[in-house]
């Protein structure tokens, strides 16, 4: 609705006052929506009633904060609750059963058996039906959480990798149909794999029906977006906004001839930002969210959530009301689709990332700081900034979990806190410059083969594109080995170091508290895909260098164990070792609902942390140097480490008796458990 319809409900519902206003309002809404409620039967009705009792007060208070001054507030509220009831009535029966089980086991995502993977449907398998045929491969790898990158209808050609949504209710026809998605979702659920999808809720594409209607003169749809016709007002907003893609364009507005005005477009000119100051937008997007939930989504990734609330005179990022808005979406989902949890995607300052992580907003969150600092430690061979930052920032609220990763579909941005760096005598801006040079092979001695993304010609700042294998030194080693450029064993040593780096950082995300997320292709060290430069749909976006077609020929040879040569066997070794680490993780409750304590070991090349819970503790020790490093047992034992331990990765036993030392091989790690 556009907010102009007469509010026929306000006369009665607005009688609810005082501290119990939410409870009274719910009672009145139940009376007004009694017919809809009575249409629900059995467990479906019981779950909804229970969830309304628990979560409506939070929804009511948050909506009142954003929209309470509007004359039609209670009309908006009643219409929203009606939509939630309708969504529950349409929810498939097996998802209703899943809702009931998840209410009984609300922290299911913290189980040590949770291991994630992310992929593009077309790059991995071609279409949704083919993804379904590859479920046995996912199970062999140990995957229990599958994130399918954007698959909804988007413009042909430029679509920001699918993040410009033209319809939330249609699958991109090249990938299949909505029925194919539902079949895949059911098949994954049957095999114990949770489906993860994106909710792109900051913006739609300019080809979405709402945008098309606005361009054709529908004022109610124009109010779904920010359209400014006063240039001075547009400039007033722009003065406080940062350029997200500075090499594409300046400013956050795009002129549209049909509307004769400037449309707010934070990211790209074809992505129109939604105006959540209009409660009709919130209600409409809740309906889209629940449609996605009812297709079997168990984790919803909230894309670009830092940008969803705008205010003149501010940077319009991470504003307090953005958190209020997200909490409203969360309450709506808890009422109508309680099996589904939220995952935040906020590539911003670590302090701001943490603010989105809570049971009231997002139970899960990407951990961009850990990702960035793992690569920082590989480049510097030192762990001081990584250790310091984890000690300050890794802990998050109970019932919440990190999603830890080393690579993704996106670029690498150096999202550490400058203040953390300053406390160690590091200039954050200069250090980012060094890391950019290092990972684009412009720094002498670099092992990396990355390329810049979104280079800002004014500042020289950029982010990094590249596959894990190419950034960690495997591509360098293979180049030297195949070309014979290095004397003696030099090329083989470089390849070995690249393999170890690749395994080292994956070992950390698999062992530290949270859900490990593997970017498909990294499990067998797929290299950079340089052919993206020859495709006009990809050539202007360097991120496609790490979005290659999945190499099923390589996988088939790995399955047959036919790769033996040094320049081929690296893939088999990585595949085997990652599978082993995943298997160990699943066997040990310490990696489940756990807490990580980062230890000080007085060695600048070593990261050590204790991970575990009341039932089990495991000490993980990682060496980021190309040489063997050691730590003193006395220092470790003062921090609670046991005298006799066994390495879960190798079976080797160690005696950490008084005055002994623990030696960690180059670019390696130990997972130490108390010897029983």
């Amino acid at each position: 609705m556009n907010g102009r319809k007469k509010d026929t409900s306000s006369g009665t519902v607005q009688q609810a006052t005082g501290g119990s206003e939410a409870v009274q309002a719910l009672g009145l809404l139940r009376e007004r929506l009694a017919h809809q409620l009575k249409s629900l039967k059995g467990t479906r009705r019981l779950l909804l009633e229970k969830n309304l009792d628990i979560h409506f007060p939070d929804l009511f208070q948050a909506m009142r904060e954003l929209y309470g001054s509007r004359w039609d507030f209670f009309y908006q509220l009643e219409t929203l609750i009606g939509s939630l009831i309708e969504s529950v009535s349409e929810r498939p029966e097996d998802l209703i059963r899943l809702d009931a089980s998840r209410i009984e086991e609300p922290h299911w995502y913290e189980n040590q058996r949770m291991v994630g993977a992310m992929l593009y449907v077309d790059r991995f398998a071609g279409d949704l039906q083919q993804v379904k045929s590859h479920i046995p491969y996912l199970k062999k790898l140990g995957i229990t959480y599958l994130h399918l990158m954007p698959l909804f209808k988007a413009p042909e050609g430029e679509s920001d990798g699918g993040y410009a949504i033209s319809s939330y209710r249609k699958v991109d026809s090249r990938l299949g149909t909505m029925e194919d998605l539902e079949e895949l979702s059911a098949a994954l659920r049957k095999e114990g794999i949770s489906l993860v999808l994106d909710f792109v809720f900051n913006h739609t594409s300019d080809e979405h029906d709402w945008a098309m209607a606005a361009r054709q003169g529908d004022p109610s749809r124009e109010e779904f977006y920010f359209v400014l016709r006063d240039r001075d007002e547009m400039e007033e907003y722009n003065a406080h906004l940062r350029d997200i893609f500075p090499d594409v364009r300046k400013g956050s507005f795009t002129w549209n001839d049909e509307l004769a005005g400037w449309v707010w477009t934070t990211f790209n000119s074809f992505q129109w930002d939604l105006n959540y100051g209009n409660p009709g937008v919130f209600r409409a997007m809740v309906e889209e969210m629940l449609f996605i939930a009812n297709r079997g989504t168990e984790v919803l990734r909230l894309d670009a959530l830092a940008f969803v609330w705008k205010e003149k005179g501010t940077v319009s990022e991470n504003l307090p009301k953005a958190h209020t808005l997200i909490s409203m979406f969360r309450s709506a989902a808890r009422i109508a689709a309680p099996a589904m949890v939220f995952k935040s995607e906020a590539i911003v300052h670590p302090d701001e990332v943490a603010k989105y992580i809570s049971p009231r907003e997002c139970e899960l969150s990407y951990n961009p700081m850990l990702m960035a600092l793992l690569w920082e430690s590989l480049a510097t061979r030192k762990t001081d900034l990584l250790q310091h930052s984890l000690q300050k920032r890794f802990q998050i609220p109970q019932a919440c979990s990190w999603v830890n990763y080393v690579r993704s579909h996106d670029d690498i941005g150096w999202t550490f806190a400058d203040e953390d760096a300053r406390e160690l005598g590091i200039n954050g801006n200069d250090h980012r410059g060094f890391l950019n040079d290092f990972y684009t092979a412009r720094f002498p001695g670099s092992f990396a083969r990355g390329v810049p993304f979104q280079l800002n010609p004014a500042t020289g700042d950029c982010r990094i594109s590249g596959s894990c294998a190419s950034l960690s030194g495997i591509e360098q080693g293979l180049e030297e080995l195949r070309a014979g450029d290095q004397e003696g064993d030099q090329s083989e040593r470089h390849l070995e170091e690249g393999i170890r780096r690749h395994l080292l950082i994956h070992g950390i995300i698999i062992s530290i508290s949270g859900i490990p997320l593997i970017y498909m292709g990294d499990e067998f060290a797929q290299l950079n895909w340089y052919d993206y430069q020859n495709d006009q749909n990809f050539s202007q976006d360097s991120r496609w260098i790490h979005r290659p077609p999945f190499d099923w020929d390589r996988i088939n040879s790995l399955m047959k164990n036919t790769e033996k040569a040094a320049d081929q066997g690296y893939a088999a070794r990585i595949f085997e070792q990652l599978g082993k680490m995943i298997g160990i993780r699943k066997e040990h409750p310490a990696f489940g609902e756990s807490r990580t304590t980062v230890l000080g070991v007085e060695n600048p090349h070593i990261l050590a942390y204790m991970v575990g819970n009341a039932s089990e503790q495991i000490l993980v020790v990682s060496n980021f140097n190309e040489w063997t490093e050691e730590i003193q047992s006395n220092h470790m034992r003062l921090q609670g480490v046991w005298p006799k331990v066994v390495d879960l990765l190798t079976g080797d036993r160690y005696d950490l008796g008084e005055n002994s030392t623990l030696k960690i091989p180059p670019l390696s790690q130990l997972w130490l458990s108390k010897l029983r």
Side-chain angles (χ1 to χ4, degrees):
M1 295 293 176
N2 61 16
R4 296 191 177 96
K5 185 173 179 179
K6 185 177 180 181
D7 179 12
T8 60
S9 65
S10 60
T12 55
V13 182
Q14 284 182 355
Q15 297 170 9
T17 57
S20 61
E21 186 175 358
V23 174
Q24 294 182 51
L26 179 57
L28 290 167
L29 289 172
R30 278 186 164 124
E31 291 178 11
R32 295 180 60 83
L33 299 170
H35 181 71
Q36 266 189 284
L37 286 168
K38 287 178 181 178
S39 69
L40 304 180
K41 306 299 181 185
T43 302
R44 197 178 296 265
R45 172 73 178 272
L46 292 173
L47 284 176
L48 176 63
E49 295 280 14
K50 179 179 180 180
N51 291 331
L52 280 170
D53 287 336
I54 296 171
H55 302 296
F56 177 81
D58 285 342
L59 176 61
F60 177 83
Q61 295 296 341
M63 283 192 67
R64 189 166 62 174
E65 178 184 341
L66 294 193
Y67 308 127
S69 62
R70 291 178 59 104
W71 66 270
D72 63 347
F73 169 67
F74 285 99
Y75 163 76
Q76 299 289 344
L77 185 64
E78 179 180 332
T79 308
L80 174 65
I81 299 304
S83 295
L84 300 187
I85 297 170
E86 183 178 356
S87 178
V88 172
S89 73
E90 297 171 349
R91 193 158 169 79
E93 191 61 40
D94 64 330
L95 294 180
I96 293 293
R97 290 194 295 270
L98 185 64
D99 289 337
S101 69
R102 292 283 166 78
I103 289 173
E104 295 301 316
E105 188 187 359
H107 305 153
W108 56 273
Y109 46 84
E110 292 188 287
N111 190 286
Q112 76 268 17
R113 300 187 64 79
M114 291 300 293
V115 176
M118 64 187 305
L119 57 88
Y120 280 99
V121 170
D122 56 340
R123 314 303 281 172
F124 179 72
D127 59 32
L128 291 166
Q129 290 185 356
Q130 289 302 309
V131 172
K132 181 180 174 182
S133 73
H134 290 304
I135 289 177
Y137 173 71
L138 298 172
K139 284 182 65 67
K140 179 178 177 61
L141 193 58
I143 301 304
T144 55
Y145 160 123
L146 182 63
H147 181 182
L148 303 180
M149 303 303 291
L151 46 73
F152 297 112
K153 183 180 178 182
E156 294 186 10
E158 286 189 328
S159 66
D160 190 23
Y163 285 97
I165 305 296
S166 299
S167 174
Y168 297 89
R169 300 189 181 224
K170 293 180 181 178
V171 169
D172 183 332
S173 60
R174 294 166 294 186
L175 305 180
T177 65
M178 192 58 70
E179 290 72 24
D180 293 333
L181 178 60
E182 290 171 353
E183 288 180 11
L184 173 60
S185 172
L188 291 169
R189 197 156 54 250
K190 183 179 178 181
E191 296 297 336
I193 302 175
S194 296
L195 176 63
V196 185
L197 293 179
D198 291 276
F199 186 43
V200 183
F201 73 127
N202 176 70
H203 49 261
T204 72
S205 90
D206 59 0
E207 295 182 9
H208 192 283
D209 285 348
W210 301 338
M212 297 290 283
R215 289 155 62 176
Q216 292 166 10
D218 184 339
S220 67
R221 291 311 186 206
E222 182 179 317
E223 290 174 359
F224 270 41
Y225 302 98
F226 293 88
V227 182
L228 305 180
R229 293 184 172 85
D230 184 321
R231 187 183 189 94
D232 290 339
E233 184 181 18
M234 182 271 290
E235 296 290 0
E236 188 178 352
Y237 273 106
N238 245 344
H240 300 276
L241 307 176
R242 68 184 174 102
D243 297 331
I244 303 302
F245 296 145
D247 67 338
V248 175
R249 65 193 177 92
K250 296 291 185 181
S252 294
F253 289 84
T254 300
W255 174 262
N256 184 272
D257 287 334
E258 293 169 283
L259 289 168
W262 286 272
V263 181
W264 197 318
T265 54
T266 295
F267 294 97
N268 290 288
S269 60
F270 50 84
Q271 291 168 303
W272 289 15
D273 285 38
L274 289 164
N275 177 14
Y276 282 103
N278 176 359
V281 173
F282 171 65
R283 288 193 294 102
M285 288 302 289
V286 166
E287 291 173 2
E288 303 306 280
M289 175 187 74
L290 293 177
F291 180 85
I292 295 170
N294 282 356
R295 309 284 74 77
T297 307
E298 298 182 38
V299 178
L300 196 67
R301 173 190 176 272
L302 303 190
D303 179 67
L305 78 176
F307 297 87
V308 293
W309 191 265
K310 279 83 168 167
E311 292 178 8
K312 186 183 293 187
T314 75
V315 296
S316 293
E317 293 181 49
N318 303 303
L319 297 180
K321 288 184 178 179
H323 294 278
T324 305
L325 180 66
I326 294 163
S327 75
M328 288 157 48
F329 276 106
R330 189 69 199 98
S331 294
R334 286 184 182 278
I335 291 168
M340 185 174 71
V341 298
F342 282 7
K343 176 175 66 172
S344 77
E345 186 261 352
I347 312 302
V348 292
H349 188 283
D351 285 346
E352 298 298 335
V353 171
K355 292 177 183 178
Y356 296 99
I357 308 170
S358 78
R360 293 189 67 251
E361 294 186 41
C362 297
E363 296 94 334
L364 306 179
S365 173
Y366 282 126
N367 195 344
M369 183 192 73
L370 174 63
M371 178 275 298
L373 290 177
L374 288 174
W375 290 107
E376 188 271 346
S377 291
L378 287 180
T380 62
R381 282 75 165 178
K382 293 184 177 181
T383 61
D384 48 355
L385 184 54
L386 173 61
Q387 174 182 300
H388 182 60
S389 300
L390 289 178
Q391 286 174 331
K392 288 182 64 174
R393 304 180 185 276
F394 192 76
Q395 301 305 327
I396 54 178
Q398 286 189 337
C400 296
S401 181
W402 289 115
V403 176
N404 299 309
Y405 64 106
V406 300
R407 287 302 291 115
S408 73
H409 70 291
D410 221 339
D411 54 273
I412 296 175
W414 305 112
T415 51
F416 55 83
D418 281 5
E419 57 269 34
D420 294 353
R422 279 195 300 271
E423 289 166 2
L424 300 176
I426 299 170
N427 180 291
N429 189 58
D430 292 347
H431 200 48
R432 289 185 180 90
F434 155 70
L435 292 169
N436 285 334
D437 287 346
F438 188 94
Y439 281 105
T440 54
R442 293 178 293 181
F443 190 85
S446 170
F447 51 74
R449 295 293 183 268
V451 296
F453 174 69
Q454 293 295 338
L455 177 66
N456 187 329
T459 65
D461 188 31
C462 70
R463 302 193 292 276
I464 303 298
S465 296
S467 74
C468 183
S470 295
L471 293 174
S472 62
I474 292 175
E475 183 174 326
Q476 176 204 39
L478 290 172
E479 286 175 352
E480 296 172 352
L481 189 66
R482 292 167 180 169
D485 291 342
Q486 299 290 328
E487 295 183 2
D489 297 330
Q490 185 84 336
S491 57
E492 290 188 8
R493 182 171 67 83
H494 285 167
L495 177 57
E496 173 65 21
E497 289 171 349
I499 293 169
R500 289 187 176 212
R501 292 187 195 99
H502 191 101
L503 289 170
L504 174 65
I505 55 179
H506 276 93
I508 289 173
I509 66 164
I510 292 171
S511 61
I512 205 165
S513 297
I515 300 173
L517 181 64
I518 297 171
Y519 186 54
M520 295 302 287
D522 286 347
E523 75 274 23
F524 60 94
Q526 197 158 2
L527 300 172
N528 280 348
W529 183 60
Y530 294 101
D531 287 350
Y532 86 95
Q533 300 169 93
N534 303 321
D535 190 317
Q536 63 179 0
N537 292 321
F538 303 147
S539 59
Q540 299 305 307
D541 186 341
S542 69
R543 292 174 298 181
W544 287 102
I545 200 171
H546 54 260
R547 301 170 182 173
F550 198 75
D551 192 347
W552 284 106
D553 290 338
R554 171 60 59 85
I555 288 297
N556 290 333
S557 66
L558 288 175
M559 297 296 99
K560 296 174 183 176
N561 198 27
T562 59
E563 298 197 347
K564 300 295 184 183
D567 65 344
Q568 298 293 328
Y570 71 92
R573 178 173 160 195
I574 286 171
F575 186 80
E576 178 184 353
Q577 289 299 311
L578 283 182
K580 181 178 182 180
M581 286 190 282
I582 290 170
I584 293 171
R585 170 190 167 87
K586 292 190 173 190
E587 292 172 358
H588 289 269
F591 298 119
E593 291 190 43
S594 62
R595 178 182 177 87
T596 292
T597 303
V598 180
L599 307 181
V601 294
E602 298 186 346
N603 183 318
H605 307 290
I606 298 293
L607 175 69
Y609 52 85
M610 193 81 75
V611 60
N613 46 47
S615 65
E616 185 183 25
Q617 296 279 323
I618 292 170
L619 172 66
V620 178
V621 185
S622 301
N623 177 10
F624 280 78
N625 203 359
E626 284 95 346
W627 310 98
T628 297
E629 294 290 337
E630 57 184 43
I631 52 180
Q632 299 301 313
S633 64
N634 288 351
H635 189 67
M636 299 295 290
R637 291 184 65 182
L638 285 173
Q639 299 181 80
V641 177
W642 325 277
K644 295 185 182 296
V645 295
V646 59
D647 181 12
L648 298 177
L649 296 174
T650 64
D652 293 340
R653 299 184 176 193
Y654 297 89
D655 186 345
L656 302 182
E658 189 174 351
N659 298 321
S660 64
T661 59
L662 178 64
K663 294 184 177 181
I664 305 95
L667 297 168
S668 297
Q669 62 185 181
L670 310 175
W671 293 9
L672 301 175
S673 179
K674 184 177 181 180
L675 192 59
R676 302 183 187 282

